């Protein structure tokens, strides 16, 4: 049998659904880390340039310039080394890096206010420190720290009785208020970005968790489907061979007591040996997941004829097998399905029908006429029609329970037949009535096949 495992197919589909290039969570974290890296590059470049500009343009003593370099550069250095590596947007506490963030905030306020005492123009440096604060803290704590720092600038201006730019006290208040306002605007954007990233991380983690669950369920479904397939194949091969062997052995036992029937008994014993050999070969083929032995030895028509002969010999039943001569070469999967359905039907006839004879027809159907029990047959559609009819006692088809229809080996096996047909995009139906026998019909599409195979007609 050349049938791919459902579990493998579903596992492949599941892997195709996963994000390319690794975990989606890791990719999101890498993206966030890249944004932080760009901010850090800005801090590392802008801080020295701003410090150099202020120091060179200020007319102060050298020791005051040295103090400015330390006071203005220390907050950025502490942020890059001790705060940012330990900050996480997923942490929603006021400080994203714990006590490190609070130490950094206190150091920033002290250093910048102290620098403003030396040179009031250092107020510009807060536009480097402000983004650092909003990275290290959530929105409102960061904005509060910025406001507190600007209050320090105002206090220094009030003490010196001069504006930070050499103007008046009122200008310093306006500039501080503007600084807090624009800092708040920057913080809103940064905080919103952090919230979006955190939300996206949660969504991706949830998606991956669901994909893992789906993958597990798909694996379990694949195992269940493979077990069902194996059960069906064993029923259609080994179980049916054992049924035939049982019928032949019972016939042989009855014939051994009569000397006139011993030749017939020996014939049945030889048939048991042949069936046992074929059953062993089928078992090996099933283990190897290869083509059924009956189809390996000959074509579909001969395999069907041998199946019918083995299934009826010693039972007193007769059969007619009709196979169209103009059938195209059929795909292996279709041949296997036809053979297995016929084997299942023969087993049902032996066990349940009490029929004297039955007919198996395999023909090409152009869809010109309707097929009894099957709806939606398209006019002109090229199909393979398998029809099996017996003259047995029949049954009330509406009275069959779902369990009777589906139990393999102990029921009628109709659901297993239907499954085989529908796997090949075909249609399946059965009909029966007490005293009127049973009819099974299966239609398989034949589009795109070439008409080169010739089959004859066999009867017994």
């Amino acid at each position: 049998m050349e049938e791919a495992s459902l579990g493998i197919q579903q596992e492949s589909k599941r892997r195709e659904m996963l994000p390319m290039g690794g975990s989606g969570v890791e990719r999101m974290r890498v993206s966030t880390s890249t944004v932080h890296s760009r901010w850090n590059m800005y801090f590392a470049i802008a801080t020295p340039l701003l410090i150099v500009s202020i120091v060179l343009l200020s007319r102060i003593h050298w020791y005051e310039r040295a103090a400015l370099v330390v006071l203005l550069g220390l907050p950025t250095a502490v942020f890059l080394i001790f705060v940012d590596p330990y900050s996480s947007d997923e942490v929603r506490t006021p400080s994203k890096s714990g006590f490190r963030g609070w130490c950094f905030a206190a150091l920033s306020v002290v250093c910048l206010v102290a620098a403003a005492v030396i040179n009031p123009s250092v107020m510009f440096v807060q536009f480097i420190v402000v983004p650092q604060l909003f990275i290290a803290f959530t929105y409102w704590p960061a904005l509060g720290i910025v406001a507190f720092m600007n209050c320090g600038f105002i206090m220094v201006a009030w003490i010196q009785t001069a504006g930070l730019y050499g103007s008046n006290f009122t200008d310093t208040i306006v500039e501080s208020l503007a600084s807090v306002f624009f800092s708040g605007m920057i913080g809103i954007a940064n905080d919103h970005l952090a919230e979006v990233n955190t939300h996206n991380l949660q969504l991706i983690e949830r998606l991956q968790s669901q994909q893992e669950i789906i993958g597990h369920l798909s694996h379990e479904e694949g195992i269940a489907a493979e077990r069902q397939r194996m059960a069906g194949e064993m029923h259609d091969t080994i179980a049916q061979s054992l049924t035939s062997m049982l019928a032949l052995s019972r016939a042989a036992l009855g014939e051994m007591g009569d000397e006139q029937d011993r030749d017939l008994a020996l014939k049945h014993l030889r048939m048991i040996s042949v069936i046992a050999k074929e059953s062993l070969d089928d078992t090996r083929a099933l283990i190897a997941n290869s083509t059924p032995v009956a189809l390996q030895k000959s074509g579909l028509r001969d395999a069907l004829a041998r199946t019918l002969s083995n299934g009826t010999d010693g039972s007193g039943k007769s059969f007619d097998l009709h196979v169209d001569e103009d059938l195209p070469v059929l795909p292996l999967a279709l041949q296997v399905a036809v053979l297995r359905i016929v084997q299942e039907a023969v087993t049902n006839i032996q066990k349940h029908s009490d029929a004297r004879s039955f007919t198996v027809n395999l023909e090409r159907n152009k869809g010109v006429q309707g097929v009894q029990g099957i709806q939606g047959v398209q006019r002109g559609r090229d199909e393979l029609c398998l029809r099996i009819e017996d003259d047995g006692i029949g049954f009330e088809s509406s009275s069959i329970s779902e369990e009777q229809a589906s139990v393999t080996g102990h029921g009628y096996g109709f659901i297993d037949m239907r499954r085989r047909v529908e796997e090949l995009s075909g249609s399946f139906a059965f009909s029966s009535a007490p005293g009127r026998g049973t009819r099974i019909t299966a239609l398989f599409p034949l589009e795109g096949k070439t008409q080169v195979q010739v089959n004859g007609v066999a009867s017994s």
Side-chain angles (χ1 to χ4, degrees):
M1 262 172 311
E2 297 179 351
E3 300 179 13
S5 171
L6 178 60
I8 295 176
Q9 293 177 351
Q10 292 175 331
E11 182 68 15
S12 299
K13 292 180 180 178
R14 184 186 73 84
R15 291 178 179 176
E16 291 172 2
M17 292 171 61
L18 293 175
M20 296 295 291
S23 168
V25 173
E26 292 303 321
R27 293 178 64 189
M28 179 63 71
R29 285 180 175 146
V30 168
S31 176
T32 303
S33 177
T34 301
V35 173
H36 282 192
S37 298
R38 291 174 180 173
W39 271 113
N40 292 342
M41 185 179 298
Y42 160 72
F43 300 145
I45 295 175
T47 301
L49 291 178
L50 193 56
I51 292 174
V52 169
S53 300
I54 293 174
V55 170
L56 293 179
L57 296 176
S58 300
R59 296 180 180 181
I60 54 179
H61 296 94
W62 65 270
Y63 56 85
E64 293 177 323
R65 295 183 181 184
L68 282 179
V69 171
V70 174
L71 292 173
L72 299 179
L74 188 59
T76 297
V78 171
F79 173 79
L80 294 177
I81 298 173
F82 297 105
V83 178
D84 184 64
Y86 302 94
S87 297
S88 173
D89 290 336
E90 299 177 43
V91 177
R92 302 312 297 169
T93 56
S95 174
K96 299 178 183 178
S97 58
F99 74 95
R100 297 172 185 269
W102 294 112
C103 293
F104 163 69
L107 179 66
S108 299
V109 172
V110 170
C111 286
L112 266 66
V113 172
V117 174
I118 300 173
N119 186 349
S121 63
V122 300
M123 189 174 182
F124 283 113
V125 178
Q126 70 175 311
F127 290 105
I128 295 177
V129 176
V130 165
Q132 296 173 0
L133 290 172
F134 280 103
I135 290 175
F137 292 87
T138 55
Y139 179 75
W140 289 110
L143 187 60
I145 295 170
V146 173
F148 184 75
M149 183 167 56
N150 278 273
C151 288
F153 292 147
I154 294 173
M155 182 65 67
V156 170
W158 180 74
I159 293 174
Q160 293 180 343
T161 64
L164 293 183
Y165 294 102
S167 55
N168 53 43
F169 181 66
T170 304
D171 291 340
T172 302
I173 294 177
V174 172
E175 291 163 1
S176 295
L177 291 175
S179 175
V180 173
F181 174 77
F182 287 110
S183 297
M185 299 298 293
I186 295 173
I188 288 177
N190 186 78
D191 198 61
H192 178 69
L193 177 61
E195 289 181 355
V196 170
N197 286 340
T198 301
H199 181 65
N200 289 342
L201 282 172
Q202 293 173 349
L203 289 178
I204 293 175
E205 287 176 345
R206 191 179 307 166
L207 175 61
Q208 289 185 332
S209 175
Q210 291 175 346
Q211 286 178 336
E212 290 177 0
I213 295 174
I214 292 172
H216 177 73
L217 294 177
S218 297
H219 179 68
E220 294 298 324
E221 183 182 351
I223 292 176
E226 186 66 13
R227 285 175 179 170
Q228 181 182 2
R229 184 186 69 82
M230 290 292 292
E233 294 299 333
M234 292 178 67
H235 170 256
D236 291 341
T237 55
I238 302 172
Q240 292 184 6
S241 295
L242 291 175
T243 300
S244 298
M245 292 168 62
L246 179 62
L248 290 172
S249 64
R250 286 173 176 172
L253 285 174
E255 294 159 353
M256 290 295 290
D258 190 344
E259 294 185 2
Q260 296 180 351
D261 293 334
R262 287 189 178 180
D263 290 340
L264 186 59
L266 290 175
K267 176 185 176 183
H268 288 160
L269 290 174
R270 284 192 292 268
M271 292 181 64
I272 291 174
S273 177
V274 171
I275 294 174
K277 177 62 169 61
E278 290 183 351
S279 180
L280 178 61
D281 292 340
D282 277 331
T283 303
R284 290 171 176 169
L286 184 62
I287 294 172
N289 197 30
S290 59
T291 306
V293 175
L295 292 176
Q296 289 179 346
K297 293 180 177 180
S298 58
L300 177 59
R301 179 196 173 282
D302 291 338
L304 293 176
R306 191 160 52 250
T307 297
L308 299 180
S309 178
N310 291 339
T312 57
D313 206 340
S315 65
K317 295 179 173 61
S318 63
F319 69 89
D320 290 321
L321 172 63
H322 302 276
V323 180
D324 268 1
E325 296 183 357
D326 64 342
L327 288 182
V329 174
L330 302 177
L332 180 58
L334 180 51
Q335 295 185 49
V336 171
V338 170
L339 178 61
R340 296 306 190 215
I341 291 172
V342 171
Q343 289 173 335
E344 177 71 39
V346 170
T347 299
N348 284 345
I349 292 171
Q350 288 180 320
K351 295 170 62 177
H352 305 295
S353 72
D354 195 22
R356 295 187 302 274
S357 63
F358 63 95
T359 303
V360 176
N361 288 288
L362 187 63
E363 58 189 5
R364 200 167 190 170
N365 177 36
K366 290 293 186 179
V368 176
Q369 70 278 4
V371 178
Q372 182 178 353
I374 297 182
Q375 304 295 327
V377 176
Q378 299 178 8
R379 185 177 182 85
R381 182 180 179 184
D382 196 8
E383 295 176 312
L384 178 70
C385 179
L386 171 64
R387 185 180 291 106
I388 305 167
E389 298 181 74
D390 67 56
D391 60 358
I393 59 176
F395 57 90
E396 186 63 50
S397 57
S398 61
S399 66
I400 295 182
S401 66
E402 186 75 10
E403 182 179 359
Q404 286 178 307
S406 61
V407 173
T408 299
H410 299 284
Y412 296 97
F414 290 131
I415 288 184
D416 187 59
M417 295 184 194
R418 185 186 301 277
R419 176 183 60 81
R420 289 187 179 277
V421 174
E422 292 179 350
E423 283 178 353
L424 298 175
S425 303
S427 303
F428 175 85
F430 70 91
S431 61
S432 183
R436 296 185 179 181
T438 302
R439 170 185 288 186
I440 295 173
T441 305
L443 294 179
F444 303 90
L446 283 180
E447 286 81 355
K449 308 302 181 214
T450 56
Q451 185 176 332
V452 295
Q453 180 172 318
V454 177
N455 293 284
V457 178
S459 63
S460 173

